[in-house]
Amino acid sequence: MGWFGIFVLLVGWSIRGTGFNAGFFSNGRAQEQTQRFISGFLHPDLSLSYLGEVARSAVTTLQISFAGLAVGILIGVPLSFLAAANLSVNRTPGLPRWRRVLGLMPYQLARNLLNFLRAVPELVWALVFISAVGLGPFAGALAIGIHSAGLLGKLWAEQMEAVDDGPVEAIRLLGAGRTALGVLAVFPQARQNLLSLTLYQWECNVRAAAIVGFVGAGGIGQDLDVSIRLFRYSQASVLILAILALVVFADGTSALVRRSLR
Amino acid sequence: MDILVDAVTAGYRHRGAVLSEVTLGAARGEQVALIGPSGAGKTTLFRLLTRSLRPSRGRVVVGGADLGRLAGRELRSTRASIGVIHQRGDLVPSVSALANVAVATQAGAGPLAALRLAASGPTRDVAWRCREALDRLEVGHLAEVRVDELSGGQRQRVAVARLLVQAPSVVLADEPTASVDQASGDLVMEALVGLALAGAPMVIATHELAVARRMDRVVALADGVIVHNGAPTALDSGVLARIYMSDKIIASDAVETPEKAPWSRPACR
Protein backbone atom coordinates (compact mmCIF):
# COMPACT_ATOMS: atom_id res chain seq x y z
CA MET A 1 0.00 0.00 0.00
CA GLY A 2 1.47 3.34 -1.04
CA TRP A 3 1.08 6.82 0.45
CA PHE A 4 -2.09 7.35 -1.58
CA GLY A 5 -3.64 4.23 -0.08
CA ILE A 6 -2.80 5.42 3.43
CA PHE A 7 -4.35 8.81 2.65
CA VAL A 8 -7.58 7.23 1.38
CA LEU A 9 -7.79 5.05 4.49
CA LEU A 10 -7.27 8.10 6.72
CA VAL A 11 -10.01 10.05 4.94
CA GLY A 12 -12.43 7.11 5.20
CA TRP A 13 -11.64 6.68 8.88
CA SER A 14 -12.22 10.40 9.53
CA ILE A 15 -15.49 10.57 7.58
CA ARG A 16 -16.82 7.66 9.61
CA GLY A 17 -15.60 9.12 12.88
CA THR A 18 -17.13 12.59 12.32
CA GLY A 19 -20.44 11.37 10.94
CA PHE A 20 -19.77 13.42 7.80
CA ASN A 21 -22.85 13.31 5.59
CA ALA A 22 -22.77 15.05 2.21
CA GLY A 23 -26.40 14.08 1.59
CA PHE A 24 -27.55 16.12 4.58
CA PHE A 25 -28.18 19.22 2.51
CA SER A 26 -30.56 17.40 0.15
CA ASN A 27 -32.91 16.92 3.12
CA GLY A 28 -35.89 19.33 2.87
CA ARG A 29 -35.67 20.55 6.49
CA ALA A 30 -31.99 21.13 6.26
CA GLN A 31 -32.47 23.10 3.04
CA GLU A 32 -35.06 25.29 4.72
CA GLN A 33 -32.74 25.90 7.69
CA THR A 34 -29.86 26.77 5.42
CA GLN A 35 -32.04 29.14 3.40
CA ARG A 36 -33.12 30.94 6.59
CA PHE A 37 -29.51 31.18 7.64
CA ILE A 38 -28.35 32.59 4.30
CA SER A 39 -31.30 35.00 4.01
CA GLY A 40 -30.56 36.33 7.50
CA PHE A 41 -26.96 36.90 6.51
CA LEU A 42 -27.98 38.69 3.33
CA HIS A 43 -30.20 41.08 5.29
CA PRO A 44 -27.94 42.42 8.04
CA ASP A 45 -29.50 44.45 10.86
CA LEU A 46 -28.11 47.88 10.12
CA SER A 47 -30.29 49.81 12.55
CA LEU A 48 -28.36 52.55 14.32
CA SER A 49 -29.18 51.22 17.76
CA TYR A 50 -27.80 47.78 16.87
CA LEU A 51 -24.73 49.19 15.14
CA GLY A 52 -24.03 51.15 18.33
CA GLU A 53 -24.18 47.94 20.34
CA VAL A 54 -21.82 46.20 17.90
CA ALA A 55 -19.39 49.14 18.07
CA ARG A 56 -19.34 48.90 21.87
CA SER A 57 -18.62 45.15 21.67
CA ALA A 58 -15.92 45.74 19.06
CA VAL A 59 -14.24 48.26 21.36
CA THR A 60 -14.41 45.73 24.21
CA THR A 61 -12.79 43.15 21.92
CA LEU A 62 -9.97 45.58 21.12
CA GLN A 63 -9.56 46.30 24.83
CA ILE A 64 -9.34 42.56 25.55
CA SER A 65 -6.63 42.23 22.87
CA PHE A 66 -4.58 45.14 24.30
CA ALA A 67 -4.97 44.07 27.91
CA GLY A 68 -4.04 40.52 26.86
CA LEU A 69 -0.95 41.84 25.10
CA ALA A 70 0.05 43.79 28.22
CA VAL A 71 -0.31 40.68 30.40
CA GLY A 72 1.62 38.68 27.79
CA ILE A 73 4.48 41.19 27.75
CA LEU A 74 4.55 41.47 31.52
CA ILE A 75 4.89 37.70 31.99
CA GLY A 76 6.42 36.58 28.69
CA VAL A 77 9.24 39.11 28.26
CA PRO A 78 11.02 38.47 31.58
CA LEU A 79 10.64 34.74 30.96
CA SER A 80 12.08 35.15 27.46
CA PHE A 81 15.32 36.55 28.91
CA LEU A 82 15.62 33.42 31.05
CA ALA A 83 14.68 31.20 28.13
CA ALA A 84 17.34 32.65 25.78
CA ALA A 85 20.38 30.39 26.07
CA ASN A 86 22.87 33.15 25.21
CA LEU A 87 21.67 35.16 28.21
CA SER A 88 20.84 32.53 30.75
CA VAL A 89 23.25 29.63 30.24
CA ASN A 90 26.87 29.83 31.35
CA ARG A 91 28.67 28.19 28.45
CA THR A 92 32.24 28.59 29.69
CA PRO A 93 34.05 25.42 28.59
CA GLY A 94 35.68 23.50 31.38
CA LEU A 95 32.94 24.17 33.97
CA PRO A 96 32.34 21.26 36.37
CA ARG A 97 29.36 19.11 35.39
CA TRP A 98 27.31 19.98 38.48
CA ARG A 99 27.65 23.69 37.74
CA ARG A 100 26.62 23.17 34.13
CA VAL A 101 23.52 21.23 35.22
CA LEU A 102 22.65 23.76 37.94
CA GLY A 103 23.19 26.64 35.53
CA LEU A 104 20.77 25.09 33.05
CA MET A 105 17.89 24.99 35.54
CA PRO A 106 16.48 28.54 35.14
CA TYR A 107 16.67 28.12 31.37
CA GLN A 108 14.89 24.76 31.40
CA LEU A 109 12.26 25.97 33.87
CA ALA A 110 11.51 29.07 31.79
CA ARG A 111 11.33 27.04 28.56
CA ASN A 112 8.97 24.45 30.06
CA LEU A 113 6.74 27.10 31.62
CA LEU A 114 6.50 28.92 28.28
CA ASN A 115 5.69 25.62 26.52
CA PHE A 116 2.91 24.96 29.02
CA LEU A 117 1.41 28.46 28.73
CA ARG A 118 1.30 28.28 24.98
CA ALA A 119 0.27 24.63 24.64
CA VAL A 120 -3.08 25.31 26.36
CA PRO A 121 -5.36 27.10 23.85
CA GLU A 122 -6.95 30.48 24.68
CA LEU A 123 -10.42 28.89 24.79
CA VAL A 124 -9.35 26.49 27.53
CA TRP A 125 -7.65 29.30 29.47
CA ALA A 126 -10.87 31.31 29.06
CA LEU A 127 -12.92 28.48 30.60
CA VAL A 128 -10.42 28.30 33.46
CA PHE A 129 -10.53 32.06 34.13
CA ILE A 130 -14.32 32.25 33.75
CA SER A 131 -14.61 29.78 36.62
CA ALA A 132 -12.07 31.83 38.57
CA VAL A 133 -13.20 35.43 37.96
CA GLY A 134 -16.63 35.01 36.38
CA LEU A 135 -18.03 35.71 32.91
CA GLY A 136 -16.88 38.79 31.01
CA PRO A 137 -13.97 40.51 29.31
CA PHE A 138 -11.65 40.31 32.35
CA ALA A 139 -11.55 36.53 32.01
CA GLY A 140 -10.94 36.98 28.26
CA ALA A 141 -8.04 39.36 28.81
CA LEU A 142 -6.44 36.99 31.30
CA ALA A 143 -6.88 34.00 29.01
CA ILE A 144 -5.38 35.78 26.03
CA GLY A 145 -2.65 37.28 28.20
CA ILE A 146 -1.51 33.93 29.56
CA HIS A 147 -1.48 32.29 26.14
CA SER A 148 0.30 35.35 24.65
CA ALA A 149 2.92 35.15 27.39
CA GLY A 150 3.77 31.61 26.27
CA LEU A 151 3.96 32.57 22.61
CA LEU A 152 5.73 35.91 23.03
CA GLY A 153 8.20 34.45 25.51
CA LYS A 154 9.20 31.65 23.15
CA LEU A 155 9.37 33.86 20.05
CA TRP A 156 11.35 36.57 21.85
CA ALA A 157 13.75 34.00 23.30
CA GLU A 158 14.41 32.48 19.89
CA GLN A 159 14.85 35.86 18.28
CA MET A 160 17.32 36.89 20.99
CA GLU A 161 19.26 33.65 20.64
CA ALA A 162 19.67 34.34 16.92
CA VAL A 163 21.58 37.63 17.34
CA ASP A 164 25.26 37.90 16.44
CA ASP A 165 27.25 36.45 19.33
CA GLY A 166 30.32 38.66 18.77
CA PRO A 167 28.92 41.88 20.30
CA VAL A 168 27.33 39.87 23.12
CA GLU A 169 30.66 38.32 24.04
CA ALA A 170 32.43 41.68 23.72
CA ILE A 171 30.01 43.26 26.20
CA ARG A 172 30.19 40.23 28.50
CA LEU A 173 33.94 40.79 28.58
CA LEU A 174 33.33 44.39 29.66
CA GLY A 175 32.01 42.90 32.89
CA ALA A 176 28.32 42.87 31.99
CA GLY A 177 25.89 40.69 33.92
CA ARG A 178 22.74 39.15 32.43
CA THR A 179 20.57 42.25 32.60
CA ALA A 180 23.24 44.45 31.08
CA LEU A 181 23.86 41.89 28.33
CA GLY A 182 20.15 41.68 27.63
CA VAL A 183 19.49 45.40 27.37
CA LEU A 184 22.81 46.58 25.93
CA ALA A 185 23.87 43.77 23.60
CA VAL A 186 20.98 41.47 22.76
CA PHE A 187 17.87 43.67 22.73
CA PRO A 188 19.33 46.40 20.47
CA GLN A 189 20.30 43.76 17.90
CA ALA A 190 16.91 42.04 17.96
CA ARG A 191 14.74 45.13 18.61
CA GLN A 192 13.22 45.40 15.14
CA ASN A 193 12.18 41.75 15.02
CA LEU A 194 10.96 41.74 18.62
CA LEU A 195 8.69 44.72 17.98
CA SER A 196 7.45 43.09 14.81
CA LEU A 197 6.67 39.85 16.68
CA THR A 198 4.86 41.79 19.39
CA LEU A 199 2.69 43.53 16.81
CA TYR A 200 1.95 40.20 15.19
CA GLN A 201 0.96 38.83 18.59
CA TRP A 202 -1.46 41.74 18.98
CA GLU A 203 -3.02 40.86 15.60
CA CYS A 204 -3.45 37.28 16.83
CA ASN A 205 -4.94 38.61 20.07
CA VAL A 206 -7.61 40.54 18.17
CA ARG A 207 -8.70 37.32 16.44
CA ALA A 208 -8.49 35.38 19.69
CA ALA A 209 -10.46 38.07 21.56
CA ALA A 210 -13.32 37.54 19.13
CA ILE A 211 -13.20 33.79 19.69
CA VAL A 212 -12.96 33.60 23.49
CA GLY A 213 -16.30 35.43 23.65
CA PHE A 214 -17.98 32.19 22.53
CA VAL A 215 -17.42 30.67 25.96
CA GLY A 216 -18.55 33.84 27.75
CA ALA A 217 -15.35 35.82 27.99
CA GLY A 218 -16.93 39.03 26.67
CA GLY A 219 -16.55 41.09 23.51
CA ILE A 220 -17.98 40.61 20.07
CA GLY A 221 -17.65 36.82 20.17
CA GLN A 222 -20.06 36.62 23.06
CA ASP A 223 -22.67 38.64 21.13
CA LEU A 224 -22.16 36.43 18.07
CA ASP A 225 -22.67 33.31 20.14
CA VAL A 226 -25.91 34.70 21.59
CA SER A 227 -27.30 35.81 18.23
CA ILE A 228 -26.59 32.43 16.59
CA ARG A 229 -28.16 30.54 19.48
CA LEU A 230 -31.28 32.73 19.19
CA PHE A 231 -31.37 32.34 15.35
CA ARG A 232 -30.86 36.11 14.89
CA TYR A 233 -28.89 35.63 11.70
CA SER A 234 -29.32 39.24 10.52
CA GLN A 235 -27.48 40.36 13.69
CA ALA A 236 -24.90 37.56 13.39
CA SER A 237 -24.19 38.83 9.90
CA VAL A 238 -23.32 42.31 11.22
CA LEU A 239 -21.15 40.81 13.95
CA ILE A 240 -19.19 38.68 11.48
CA LEU A 241 -18.63 41.76 9.33
CA ALA A 242 -17.48 43.64 12.43
CA ILE A 243 -14.98 40.86 13.25
CA LEU A 244 -13.69 41.07 9.69
CA ALA A 245 -13.34 44.85 10.04
CA LEU A 246 -11.48 44.43 13.33
CA VAL A 247 -9.02 41.95 11.80
CA VAL A 248 -8.45 44.21 8.80
CA PHE A 249 -7.96 47.19 11.15
CA ALA A 250 -5.43 45.21 13.23
CA ASP A 251 -3.50 44.09 10.13
CA GLY A 252 -3.44 47.62 8.71
CA THR A 253 -2.43 49.30 11.95
CA SER A 254 0.26 46.73 12.57
CA ALA A 255 1.67 47.14 9.05
CA LEU A 256 1.63 50.92 9.46
CA VAL A 257 3.51 50.79 12.79
CA ARG A 258 6.01 48.29 11.37
CA ARG A 259 6.72 50.60 8.44
CA SER A 260 7.24 53.58 10.73
CA LEU A 261 9.71 51.56 12.82
CA ARG A 262 11.96 50.73 9.85
CA MET B 1 53.74 40.31 36.99
CA ASP B 2 50.31 41.62 35.89
CA ILE B 3 49.53 38.69 33.61
CA LEU B 4 50.64 35.21 34.48
CA VAL B 5 49.77 32.04 32.64
CA ASP B 6 51.27 29.36 34.82
CA ALA B 7 51.89 25.88 33.36
CA VAL B 8 48.50 25.90 31.69
CA THR B 9 47.03 23.04 29.71
CA ALA B 10 43.70 23.78 28.09
CA GLY B 11 41.48 22.65 25.27
CA TYR B 12 37.97 21.80 24.19
CA ARG B 13 35.85 18.74 24.78
CA HIS B 14 35.78 17.60 21.15
CA ARG B 15 39.23 18.78 20.17
CA GLY B 16 41.48 17.75 23.03
CA ALA B 17 44.31 19.87 24.43
CA VAL B 18 45.14 22.97 22.38
CA LEU B 19 47.72 24.38 24.80
CA SER B 20 50.18 22.21 26.72
CA GLU B 21 52.07 23.38 29.79
CA VAL B 22 52.20 26.98 28.59
CA THR B 23 53.87 29.49 30.90
CA LEU B 24 53.84 33.14 30.00
CA GLY B 25 53.91 36.44 31.82
CA ALA B 26 53.67 40.14 31.08
CA ALA B 27 54.75 42.84 33.49
CA ARG B 28 53.19 46.29 33.98
CA GLY B 29 53.45 48.29 30.78
CA GLU B 30 55.12 45.46 28.89
CA GLN B 31 54.12 44.94 25.27
CA VAL B 32 54.12 41.30 24.24
CA ALA B 33 53.45 40.09 20.71
CA LEU B 34 51.96 36.65 20.35
CA ILE B 35 52.71 35.09 16.99
CA GLY B 36 52.33 31.70 15.43
CA PRO B 37 50.51 29.93 12.63
CA SER B 38 46.72 29.60 12.62
CA GLY B 39 45.56 26.96 15.08
CA ALA B 40 48.67 27.35 17.24
CA GLY B 41 46.57 28.27 20.29
CA LYS B 42 46.67 32.10 20.31
CA THR B 43 42.89 32.54 20.50
CA THR B 44 42.66 29.80 23.13
CA LEU B 45 45.22 31.69 25.22
CA PHE B 46 43.13 34.84 24.89
CA ARG B 47 40.01 32.95 25.95
CA LEU B 48 41.87 31.78 29.04
CA LEU B 49 42.95 35.33 29.86
CA THR B 50 39.30 36.48 29.83
CA ARG B 51 38.01 33.37 31.62
CA SER B 52 35.94 32.45 28.58
CA LEU B 53 37.72 29.11 28.93
CA ARG B 54 38.97 27.32 32.03
CA PRO B 55 42.30 25.49 32.00
CA SER B 56 42.32 21.79 32.69
CA ARG B 57 45.65 22.25 34.49
CA GLY B 58 47.58 25.27 35.74
CA ARG B 59 46.31 28.74 36.60
CA VAL B 60 45.76 32.08 34.93
CA VAL B 61 46.38 35.18 37.05
CA VAL B 62 45.42 38.65 35.82
CA GLY B 63 46.06 41.71 37.96
CA GLY B 64 46.76 39.49 40.98
CA ALA B 65 43.46 37.59 40.69
CA ASP B 66 43.42 33.88 39.91
CA LEU B 67 40.70 33.78 37.25
CA GLY B 68 39.85 30.15 38.01
CA ARG B 69 38.74 31.11 41.52
CA LEU B 70 36.55 34.01 40.49
CA ALA B 71 32.80 33.92 40.03
CA GLY B 72 29.85 36.30 39.95
CA ARG B 73 30.51 39.93 40.81
CA GLU B 74 34.26 39.40 41.36
CA LEU B 75 34.65 37.87 37.92
CA ARG B 76 32.64 40.65 36.29
CA SER B 77 34.68 43.31 38.02
CA THR B 78 37.98 41.67 36.97
CA ARG B 79 36.69 41.38 33.41
CA ALA B 80 35.83 45.09 33.47
CA SER B 81 39.52 45.79 34.06
CA ILE B 82 40.64 43.68 31.08
CA GLY B 83 40.38 45.45 27.75
CA VAL B 84 39.81 43.13 24.81
CA ILE B 85 39.84 44.09 21.17
CA HIS B 86 39.16 41.64 18.36
CA GLN B 87 39.85 41.70 14.67
CA ARG B 88 36.26 42.64 13.80
CA GLY B 89 35.56 45.04 16.64
CA ASP B 90 32.38 43.31 17.77
CA LEU B 91 30.19 46.38 18.13
CA VAL B 92 26.41 46.34 18.38
CA PRO B 93 25.48 47.14 14.77
CA SER B 94 22.04 48.68 15.21
CA VAL B 95 23.04 51.53 17.55
CA SER B 96 25.24 54.59 17.19
CA ALA B 97 29.01 54.69 17.60
CA LEU B 98 28.56 56.85 20.70
CA ALA B 99 26.13 54.36 22.29
CA ASN B 100 28.62 51.56 21.63
CA VAL B 101 31.41 53.46 23.32
CA ALA B 102 29.19 54.46 26.26
CA VAL B 103 28.51 50.79 26.99
CA ALA B 104 32.07 50.54 28.36
CA THR B 105 31.18 52.90 31.19
CA GLN B 106 28.06 51.10 32.41
CA ALA B 107 28.26 47.43 31.38
CA GLY B 108 29.99 46.37 34.58
CA ALA B 109 28.14 48.83 36.81
CA GLY B 110 25.15 46.62 37.60
CA PRO B 111 21.69 46.07 36.17
CA LEU B 112 20.21 49.46 37.11
CA ALA B 113 22.99 51.41 35.42
CA ALA B 114 22.59 49.26 32.31
CA LEU B 115 18.83 49.79 32.26
CA ARG B 116 19.29 53.54 32.70
CA LEU B 117 21.80 53.67 29.83
CA ALA B 118 19.54 51.60 27.58
CA ALA B 119 16.48 53.70 28.38
CA SER B 120 17.84 57.25 28.38
CA GLY B 121 21.31 57.09 26.83
CA PRO B 122 24.57 58.28 28.36
CA THR B 123 24.73 61.20 30.79
CA ARG B 124 26.28 64.44 29.51
CA ASP B 125 29.56 63.67 31.29
CA VAL B 126 29.79 60.13 29.89
CA ALA B 127 28.86 61.34 26.40
CA TRP B 128 31.63 63.95 26.60
CA ARG B 129 34.21 61.30 27.55
CA CYS B 130 33.03 59.06 24.74
CA ARG B 131 33.20 61.86 22.18
CA GLU B 132 36.72 62.67 23.33
CA ALA B 133 37.79 59.05 22.77
CA LEU B 134 36.10 58.98 19.37
CA ASP B 135 37.84 62.25 18.45
CA ARG B 136 41.17 60.72 19.41
CA LEU B 137 40.52 57.93 16.92
CA GLU B 138 39.41 60.55 14.35
CA VAL B 139 35.82 59.27 14.21
CA GLY B 140 34.25 61.93 16.45
CA HIS B 141 32.20 63.22 13.52
CA LEU B 142 30.60 59.76 13.24
CA ALA B 143 29.43 59.62 16.86
CA GLU B 144 25.73 59.61 15.99
CA VAL B 145 26.02 57.29 12.99
CA ARG B 146 24.79 53.71 13.33
CA VAL B 147 27.66 51.25 13.42
CA ASP B 148 26.26 49.18 10.55
CA GLU B 149 26.71 52.23 8.33
CA LEU B 150 30.45 52.51 9.10
CA SER B 151 33.35 50.95 7.19
CA GLY B 152 35.46 48.17 8.71
CA GLY B 153 38.26 50.57 9.61
CA GLN B 154 35.87 53.07 11.20
CA ARG B 155 34.25 50.32 13.24
CA GLN B 156 37.59 49.17 14.53
CA ARG B 157 38.42 52.75 15.54
CA VAL B 158 35.10 52.95 17.42
CA ALA B 159 35.93 49.65 19.16
CA VAL B 160 39.28 51.08 20.24
CA ALA B 161 37.53 54.25 21.45
CA ARG B 162 35.37 51.96 23.60
CA LEU B 163 38.57 50.41 24.93
CA LEU B 164 39.98 53.85 25.77
CA VAL B 165 36.83 54.78 27.69
CA GLN B 166 37.00 51.45 29.52
CA ALA B 167 40.54 52.44 30.63
CA PRO B 168 41.59 48.85 31.28
CA SER B 169 44.55 47.81 33.41
CA VAL B 170 45.34 44.95 31.00
CA VAL B 171 45.03 45.02 27.20
CA LEU B 172 44.45 41.94 25.05
CA ALA B 173 44.38 42.59 21.32
CA ASP B 174 43.57 39.77 18.93
CA GLU B 175 44.78 40.80 15.48
CA PRO B 176 43.44 44.34 15.89
CA THR B 177 44.79 45.61 12.58
CA ALA B 178 44.27 42.53 10.42
CA SER B 179 41.25 43.77 8.49
CA VAL B 180 41.70 47.53 8.42
CA ASP B 181 43.46 49.99 6.14
CA GLN B 182 46.90 51.36 6.95
CA ALA B 183 45.62 54.68 8.36
CA SER B 184 43.12 52.99 10.66
CA GLY B 185 45.71 50.40 11.66
CA ASP B 186 48.16 53.12 12.66
CA LEU B 187 45.54 54.93 14.75
CA VAL B 188 44.49 51.67 16.40
CA MET B 189 48.07 50.74 17.26
CA GLU B 190 48.86 54.24 18.49
CA ALA B 191 45.94 54.06 20.93
CA LEU B 192 46.84 50.55 22.12
CA VAL B 193 50.49 51.42 22.63
CA GLY B 194 49.31 54.53 24.49
CA LEU B 195 47.42 52.32 26.95
CA ALA B 196 50.51 50.16 27.43
CA LEU B 197 52.68 53.21 27.99
CA ALA B 198 50.22 54.28 30.68
CA GLY B 199 51.04 51.06 32.51
CA ALA B 200 48.73 48.36 31.17
CA PRO B 201 50.50 45.16 30.13
CA MET B 202 49.51 44.38 26.55
CA VAL B 203 49.41 41.07 24.74
CA ILE B 204 48.77 41.41 21.05
CA ALA B 205 48.18 38.39 18.84
CA THR B 206 49.24 39.17 15.32
CA HIS B 207 50.18 37.67 11.99
CA GLU B 208 51.95 40.89 11.01
CA LEU B 209 55.63 40.70 11.83
CA ALA B 210 55.87 44.46 11.37
CA VAL B 211 53.61 44.81 14.41
CA ALA B 212 55.40 42.08 16.39
CA ARG B 213 58.80 43.66 15.86
CA ARG B 214 57.66 46.88 17.56
CA MET B 215 56.78 45.10 20.83
CA ASP B 216 59.08 44.60 23.85
CA ARG B 217 58.95 40.83 23.55
CA VAL B 218 57.76 38.25 21.07
CA VAL B 219 56.26 34.95 22.17
CA ALA B 220 55.66 32.34 19.49
CA LEU B 221 53.23 29.48 19.78
CA ALA B 222 53.23 26.44 17.55
CA ASP B 223 51.09 23.36 18.10
CA GLY B 224 50.09 24.57 21.55
CA VAL B 225 53.56 25.05 23.00
CA ILE B 226 55.80 28.08 23.27
CA VAL B 227 58.61 27.72 20.75
CA HIS B 228 60.11 31.18 21.13
CA ASN B 229 60.11 33.77 23.88
CA GLY B 230 62.52 36.64 23.49
CA ALA B 231 63.36 40.05 22.11
CA PRO B 232 62.02 40.98 18.66
CA THR B 233 65.61 41.30 17.46
CA ALA B 234 66.01 37.56 17.95
CA LEU B 235 63.37 36.92 15.28
CA ASP B 236 65.70 35.92 12.48
CA SER B 237 64.75 33.82 9.48
CA GLY B 238 65.81 30.60 11.24
CA VAL B 239 63.49 31.27 14.17
CA LEU B 240 60.67 32.25 11.84
CA ALA B 241 61.13 29.10 9.79
CA ARG B 242 60.88 27.05 12.97
CA ILE B 243 57.71 28.85 14.03
CA TYR B 244 55.92 28.89 10.72
CA MET B 245 57.41 25.78 9.14
CA SER B 246 56.62 26.23 5.46
CA ASP B 247 54.32 29.25 5.82
CA LYS B 248 56.05 31.31 3.13
CA ILE B 249 53.51 34.13 3.12
CA ILE B 250 54.18 35.05 6.72
CA ALA B 251 57.93 34.55 6.42
CA SER B 252 58.00 36.95 3.47
CA ASP B 253 56.41 39.59 5.72
CA ALA B 254 59.63 39.69 7.68
CA VAL B 255 61.48 41.00 4.65
CA GLU B 256 58.89 43.70 3.98
CA THR B 257 58.83 45.06 7.53
CA PRO B 258 58.85 48.87 7.35
CA GLU B 259 61.64 50.55 9.25
CA LYS B 260 59.37 52.73 11.31
CA ALA B 261 55.64 52.75 11.98
CA PRO B 262 53.94 55.99 13.00
CA TRP B 263 52.72 54.40 16.25
CA SER B 264 56.16 53.04 17.24
CA ARG B 265 57.30 53.66 20.79
CA PRO B 266 59.53 56.76 20.34
CA ALA B 267 56.75 58.63 18.53
CA CYS B 268 54.32 57.96 21.40
CA ARG B 269 56.57 59.04 24.22
Side-chain angles (χ1 to χ4, degrees):
Chain A
M1 183 166 52
W3 285 110
F4 184 70
I6 293 173
F7 175 70
V8 169
L9 270 179
L10 265 176
V11 171
W13 176 66
S14 308
I15 284 177
R16 198 181 157 80
T18 55
F20 193 89
N21 179 12
F24 175 83
F25 295 100
S26 57
N27 174 313
R29 206 166 136 237
Q31 278 178 350
E32 191 190 323
Q33 211 173 319
T34 312
Q35 264 171 12
R36 218 169 61 185
F37 185 78
I38 292 171
S39 132
F41 270 89
L42 292 178
H43 298 91
D45 181 352
L46 295 174
S47 62
L48 275 179
S49 63
Y50 189 64
L51 285 180
E53 267 178 54
V54 173
R56 268 193 295 280
S57 292
V59 168
T60 308
T61 303
L62 273 180
Q63 287 167 333
I64 293 173
S65 74
F66 278 123
L69 187 69
V71 173
I73 290 174
L74 219 63
I75 299 172
V77 168
L79 281 174
S80 74
F81 279 77
L82 285 174
N86 53 349
L87 286 176
S88 112
V89 179
N90 184 352
R91 287 182 291 189
T92 308
L95 273 183
R97 191 179 161 74
W98 69 269
R99 279 198 58 189
R100 276 211 310 273
V101 173
L102 203 68
L104 269 176
M105 278 177 69
Y107 167 78
Q108 291 291 5
L109 274 173
R111 283 259 155 183
N112 287 326
L113 182 57
L114 289 173
N115 283 345
F116 171 68
L117 296 180
R118 125 176 150 268
V120 180
E122 293 103 332
L123 269 180
V124 177
W125 281 122
L127 288 169
V128 170
F129 284 115
I130 283 169
S131 28
V133 301
L135 288 166
F138 180 38
L142 287 175
I144 288 174
I146 293 294
H147 186 77
S148 302
L151 264 169
L152 265 184
K154 182 188 161 62
L155 294 175
W156 270 52
E158 278 171 8
Q159 206 57 242
M160 291 196 287
E161 280 178 351
V163 301
D164 183 1
D165 217 25
V168 181
E169 273 314 298
I171 294 179
R172 196 194 301 278
L173 294 181
L174 285 168
R178 285 176 192 179
T179 311
L181 273 185
V183 299
L184 298 176
V186 175
F187 183 77
Q189 288 194 76
R191 183 173 42 206
Q192 203 78 12
N193 291 340
L194 296 179
L195 290 173
S196 185
L197 284 172
T198 309
L199 281 170
Y200 180 67
Q201 185 58 47
W202 173 64
E203 285 176 46
C204 295
N205 283 3
V206 173
R207 288 184 195 94
I211 290 164
V212 290
F214 280 91
V215 292
I220 212 161
Q222 194 165 332
D223 293 355
L224 183 60
D225 181 49
V226 170
S227 55
I228 287 178
R229 277 177 201 277
L230 299 178
F231 307 108
R232 292 177 185 158
Y233 296 130
S234 54
Q235 292 186 350
S237 165
V238 178
L239 289 164
I240 288 174
L241 285 174
I243 291 175
L244 189 71
L246 271 179
V247 171
V248 170
F249 167 75
D251 281 358
T253 312
S254 165
L256 205 71
V257 177
R258 247 185 234 117
R259 252 201 308 275
S260 72
L261 288 173
R262 258 180 227 145
Chain B
M1 191 77 63
D2 259 11
I3 297 177
L4 176 64
V5 177
D6 186 14
V8 160
T9 297
Y12 306 93
R13 209 188 306 170
H14 303 294
R15 206 176 139 195
V18 176
L19 293 176
S20 308
E21 292 289 322
V22 167
T23 296
L24 171 72
R28 227 180 102 74
E30 191 179 12
Q31 300 168 29
V32 178
L34 194 60
I35 62 169
S38 299
K42 301 189 294 291
T43 302
T44 301
L45 189 62
F46 269 52
R47 299 193 73 204
L48 286 165
L49 287 166
T50 54
R51 234 296 291 276
S52 301
L53 177 67
R54 281 164 165 255
S56 49
R57 270 207 309 276
R59 63 196 184 112
V60 180
V61 181
V62 176
D66 183 347
L67 295 188
R69 291 179 188 277
L70 298 181
R73 195 173 294 173
E74 278 183 331
L75 175 62
R76 289 201 293 275
S77 120
T78 301
R79 275 180 170 165
S81 70
I82 303 172
V84 185
I85 180 102
H86 289 288
Q87 183 177 338
R88 53 181 208 147
D90 286 337
L91 300 167
V92 180
S94 50
V95 299
S96 70
L98 182 74
N100 266 285
V101 177
V103 163
T105 61
Q106 303 297 317
L112 279 180
L115 282 167
R116 210 175 301 129
L117 178 65
S120 52
T123 60
R124 194 174 294 180
D125 176 46
V126 168
W128 184 80
R129 274 169 57 205
C130 297
R131 279 179 195 282
E132 200 179 37
L134 287 166
D135 279 338
R136 206 174 138 192
L137 273 298
E138 296 178 11
V139 281
H141 60 292
L142 301 171
E144 303 300 338
V145 178
R146 275 169 60 126
V147 161
D148 48 12
E149 291 169 15
L150 300 179
S151 71
Q154 289 167 335
R155 283 184 208 191
Q156 192 68 335
R157 293 192 211 181
V158 174
V160 174
R162 182 172 70 185
L163 194 73
L164 293 180
V165 168
Q166 185 192 354
S169 42
V170 170
V171 176
L172 305 174
D174 191 1
E175 300 191 37
T177 56
S179 51
V180 299
D181 57 283
Q182 181 73 41
S184 294
D186 289 344
L187 278 167
V188 165
M189 284 310 300
E190 190 179 322
L192 295 180
V193 169
L195 283 170
L197 291 175
M202 175 166 78
V203 180
I204 175 166
T206 183
H207 279 299
E208 297 166 72
L209 289 178
V211 172
R213 285 186 192 284
R214 305 283 166 186
M215 300 292 117
D216 297 324
R217 192 151 52 93
V218 178
V219 174
L221 275 171
D223 289 331
V225 292
I226 291 179
V227 292
H228 174 82
N229 187 351
T233 46
L235 274 183
D236 56 29
S237 53
V239 173
L240 287 170
R242 205 170 72 237
I243 297 166
Y244 289 105
M245 310 291 200
S246 60
D247 200 333
K248 288 177 187 139
I249 297 166
I250 300 292
S252 69
D253 254 10
V255 181
E256 291 161 14
T257 301
E259 277 309 301
K260 189 174 167 70
W263 45 269
S264 62
R265 184 182 297 254
C268 293
R269 279 196 199 275

